[in-house]
Amino acid sequence: MAVSFNKVIIAGNLAKDPELNHTQSGKSVANLVVAVNDFYTQDVYYFKVAVWGKQAENCAQYLSKGRGVLVEGRLRRSQYEYKGEKRYSTEINANNVQFLSGGSSTKSSRNEESGDVPPFKEEPDFNEERKRKEIEEDLNNVNDEYYEEDDDIPF
C-alpha cells in the first residue's frame, strides 16, 4: 500500500493585506495570498492560504501587503458551484506561519526602527545572473560525472 503525505512549505511575500473573518462558531480565520517567485523561470505563483485561531488574529494584526512569510501546512481542495458549473479551488491550510523580515508592515505595532524587526538587507554583492550560472555549471558537472560512458559495463 502506498503511503500518503500532504505537506507544503512555501516562502514568499503577501500579495495583499490579510482578510480576517470569523466562522459562525466564532473561530478566527485569516485568508492570505502569498506570491512566490520561481528562481529559474522568473514566474510568480500565487497561493491562497487559510490560517486559523490565534495565529489568524496575529497575521491580521502584524502582516500587510509585501511582508515576507514562511508557511507550513497541507493542501486542501474544495468544490463550489458558479453559475451552475462545478469549480474547484486548492488552497493551503496553514499549520504554522512565520513572519520574515522584509517588505513593509504598516499595521505592525512593533517599531522596526528600534530593532524589534530588522529591516531586510540584500547582500551587496549579490548577482542573480552569476548565481544562476553557478547553479547551471554545478548541474552540468553532476550530469557529466554520473552519465559518462564506462567501458566496463557489459551492456
Side-chain angles (χ1 to χ4, degrees):
M1 180 173 174
V3 175
S4 295
F5 189 74
N6 185 358
K7 182 161 185 143
V8 176
I9 301 173
I10 61 168
N13 294 4
L14 292 182
K16 63 181 190 174
D17 289 340
E19 296 174 6
L20 182 65
N21 297 306
H22 294 85
T23 64
Q24 290 179 347
S25 63
K27 191 167 188 178
S28 301
V29 59
N31 295 309
L32 313 176
V33 177
V34 180
V36 177
N37 295 316
D38 186 309
F39 182 77
Y40 295 102
T41 64
Q42 302 300 312
D43 291 333
V44 179
Y45 301 102
Y46 296 92
F47 296 94
K48 291 190 231 176
V49 178
V51 186
W52 297 88
K54 182 67 176 166
Q55 195 165 220
E57 294 169 12
N58 288 336
C59 286
Q61 183 177 358
Y62 296 110
L63 293 177
S64 62
K65 180 179 179 178
R67 186 70 189 266
V69 292
L70 183 128
V71 177
E72 285 183 73
R74 61 186 185 283
L75 289 178
R76 182 179 68 189
R77 187 171 183 214
S78 58
Q79 176 182 323
Y80 62 97
E81 233 177 85
Y82 179 75
K83 295 184 179 180
E85 181 180 325
K86 282 186 182 179
R87 295 198 175 192
Y88 299 92
S89 176
T90 302
E91 69 179 11
I92 298 171
N93 194 5
N95 296 330
N96 187 25
V97 177
Q98 293 182 20
F99 303 171
L100 304 177
S101 40
S104 63
S105 179
T106 56
K107 288 185 182 180
S108 177
S109 63
R110 299 187 227 181
N111 184 354
E112 292 188 14
E113 303 298 324
S114 71
D116 289 345
V117 178
F120 175 75
K121 292 183 181 173
E122 194 169 296
E123 293 181 42
D125 64 339
F126 180 76
N127 182 333
E128 190 170 313
E129 187 61 32
R130 180 189 61 163
K131 185 70 173 170
R132 184 186 311 269
K133 286 180 182 176
E134 287 175 5
I135 291 171
E136 286 175 2
E137 287 175 11
D138 288 345
L139 288 173
N140 287 336
N141 290 339
V142 168
N143 287 339
D144 292 345
E145 185 178 317
Y146 288 105
Y147 295 110
E148 288 181 1
E149 287 190 33
D150 190 351
D151 293 335
D152 294 339
I153 298 175
F155 52 89

